Amino acid sequence: MTHLMNTYNRLPIAFTHGKGARLYDEQGNEYLDALAGIAVNGLGHAHPRLTAALTEQVSRLIHTSNVYRVREQETLADRICALSGMQEVFFANSGSEANEAALKLVRFLGYKRGIEAQTIVMERAWHGRTLATLAATGSDKARKGFDPFPTGFVSVRYNDIDAVQRAGDADSRVAAVWLEVLQGEGGIYVADLDYVRALRRLCDDRGWLLMIDEVQSGIGRTGKWFAHQWAGIKPDVMTLAKGLGSGVPVGACVAAGPAAGVFGPGNHGTTFGGGPLAMRSGIETLEIIEKERLMENAVAQGDLIIGGLKRRLAAVRGVTQIRGMGLMIGIELDRPCGELVRQALDAGLLINVTHDNVIRMLPPLILSAEEAELIVERLAPLIVALLRSQSDVNSKTTAKAA
């Protein structure tokens, strides 16, 4: 019996330790981690340099408060702005909190402009589980039972610039467009780069903020520091979390241009956000990714996995599409496939299923070529077996009905 709230359908396994891309359970069994804590553990487990840095930081200082200067916070903010070309950063503890900060920024900018700011958001979007971020999230399943939601959001079709233009034409209060360049929870859908560029131009023309949620796709996962950099554009607001702290909770709301300088003292805040330990984890994470050339590795290993799966599953009926960028990979089937998570676990592989029918993989950026090939070797037969067994059942049912 446990006294935990029943908020997760947890798998019947607990891990005791990890090393690189491997995890070990209480019985000593080894698992290849193709999920990385849902895009969090980009450096894998027990990275020696990160472990040493965090140990040193804990021995010296964990928390003081934002009442005082936090030098590590200033260092990490400078680094993020240097990498992104943006101007200022607010540090929080999670992606949801970073996204809440972004939403408050839009609202406050609207207040200064004398309008009740509306934000255009995307179908299938995922921005968090707080009430405001849920209001902007395109998941009926996640939203069910939590009405009434904050207003101020207009949902449009993803990857459709005309839909964004129409929404703006219909409401003069629109102040921002918000999207994930690569939808994670929504099913690993990649935005067309021309669409992202068109959004930047449209926002410039109409005086809107372009806001990009990089919580899952940022920090090198797609092969660039931030996924939007593949389009060669810069947003006005960017949110980060997950991979930024390599397992230590940290989130960030980054602003530039018209979004910079909107907040003043008292407009927003946090007790724990930006603490020395979390900031040290972010500083070390960015340095390790750069020094070990992990973004290049993400592209190489992602290509290996996607190419291997396409070859192994090319003739398999029921595989709709294999897509992704870098080490953010989705395999869409034509039917629900949640049972594959448990089957993969039994095969020594950690994966996830999102949107009911999309197998999602987010391996650590330190993944080796041998491990990338092993992912394909373990996963492809499970997908084939699932699709063939269900096809056999359907064929027998049809035969009996006839």
Side-chain angles (χ1 to χ4, degrees):
M1 179 181 177
T2 177
H3 293 284
L4 292 171
M5 281 192 181
N6 187 29
T7 54
Y8 293 94
N9 289 317
R10 301 178 194 269
L11 291 165
I13 187 172
F15 300 108
T16 58
H17 64 287
K19 184 69 174 176
R22 311 296 176 121
L23 278 168
Y24 301 86
D25 68 16
E26 293 169 313
Q27 287 72 47
N29 299 311
E30 182 183 272
Y31 300 83
L32 182 54
D33 188 359
L35 191 58
I38 312 181
V40 169
N41 300 310
L43 303 182
H45 305 281
H47 190 288
R49 178 172 168 177
L50 180 67
T51 300
L54 295 183
T55 300
E56 190 277 333
Q57 186 65 50
V58 167
S59 72
R60 188 161 49 81
L61 193 64
I62 296 176
H63 178 77
T64 55
S65 165
N66 283 300
V67 171
Y68 314 103
R69 292 181 73 176
V70 180
R71 291 295 189 184
E72 295 87 354
Q73 192 174 133
E74 295 170 11
T75 299
L76 183 55
D78 288 347
R79 184 73 174 121
I80 290 171
C81 288
L83 296 174
S84 65
M86 300 178 75
Q87 293 168 249
E88 60 183 25
V89 185
F90 172 82
F91 288 110
N93 305 288
S94 67
S96 288
E97 288 183 45
N99 285 339
E100 281 280 344
L103 291 175
K104 286 184 68 177
L105 191 154
V106 174
R107 295 291 180 93
F108 201 60
L109 182 61
Y111 166 76
K112 288 184 172 183
R113 292 177 175 176
I115 62 170
E116 293 183 1
Q118 306 292 299
T119 299
I120 296 174
V121 296
M122 305 296 155
E123 292 179 353
R124 295 193 310 265
W126 185 278
H127 297 298
R129 289 190 180 274
T130 64
L131 284 176
T133 55
L134 263 183
T137 288
S139 169
D140 291 338
K141 182 179 178 180
R143 290 161 56 97
K144 186 176 182 180
F146 295 105
D147 290 319
F149 287 104
T151 57
F153 302 100
V154 181
S155 180
V156 303
R157 185 180 175 185
Y158 187 64
N159 238 355
D160 186 341
I161 192 67
D162 293 335
V164 178
Q165 291 174 325
R166 288 193 298 269
D169 291 340
D171 195 332
S172 62
R173 299 170 300 169
V174 168
V177 176
W178 197 15
L179 78 155
E180 304 150 276
V181 171
L182 204 170
Q183 291 184 327
E185 297 290 337
I188 312 295
Y189 287 97
V190 184
D192 292 336
L193 298 184
D194 286 341
Y195 165 73
V196 178
R197 297 181 189 111
L199 283 177
R200 178 68 277 177
R201 291 193 296 269
L202 181 63
C203 288
D204 288 340
D205 291 343
R206 302 205 181 188
W208 301 340
L209 299 182
L210 177 60
M211 308 204 304
I212 297 182
D213 182 335
E214 294 269 10
V215 167
Q216 191 167 141
S217 59
I219 316 300
R221 179 148 293 278
T222 68
K224 290 189 180 289
W225 284 113
F226 315 109
H228 67 263
Q229 291 176 328
W230 287 104
I233 62 99
K234 182 173 70 177
D236 301 302
V237 180
M238 172 177 69
T239 52
L240 303 169
K242 290 188 181 291
L244 180 57
S246 295
V248 178
V250 55
C253 177
V254 190
V262 173
F263 283 152
N267 294 141
H268 196 50
T270 171
T271 296
F272 293 107
L277 181 63
M279 298 297 95
R280 184 69 181 276
S281 71
I283 293 166
E284 295 295 332
T285 293
L286 297 182
E287 288 186 0
I288 292 167
I289 289 173
E290 186 171 58
K291 288 185 177 181
E292 297 187 6
R293 303 177 64 89
L294 295 183
M295 286 184 286
E296 294 93 324
N297 190 60
V299 173
Q301 306 319 323
D303 287 348
L304 235 177
I305 293 171
I306 290 175
L309 288 171
K310 285 183 175 180
R311 286 191 297 274
R312 295 283 293 269
L313 302 174
V316 181
R317 292 181 60 185
V319 177
T320 302
Q321 190 178 32
I322 300 170
R323 55 180 178 258
M325 293 177 70
L327 286 173
M328 197 167 176
I329 300 165
I331 306 107
E332 182 177 350
L333 306 185
D334 64 358
R335 66 202 72 180
C337 57
E339 63 200 89
L340 279 174
V341 175
R342 180 61 180 269
Q343 293 173 6
L345 185 69
D346 293 340
L349 179 66
L350 306 184
I351 61 167
N352 179 244
V353 168
T354 189
H355 218 60
D356 292 330
N357 65 326
V358 179
I359 302 155
R360 176 173 55 166
M361 291 190 291
L362 305 157
L365 308 186
I366 50 90
L367 194 76
S368 69
E370 292 76 17
E371 289 165 335
E373 291 170 353
L374 187 56
I375 287 173
V376 175
E377 287 177 18
R378 292 184 180 180
L379 181 59
L382 298 177
I383 295 173
V384 171
L386 174 77
L387 294 173
R388 287 180 177 169
S389 66
Q390 291 185 354
S391 296
D392 290 343
V393 170
N394 292 338
S395 298
K396 291 177 181 178
T397 302
T398 302
K400 286 182 179 179

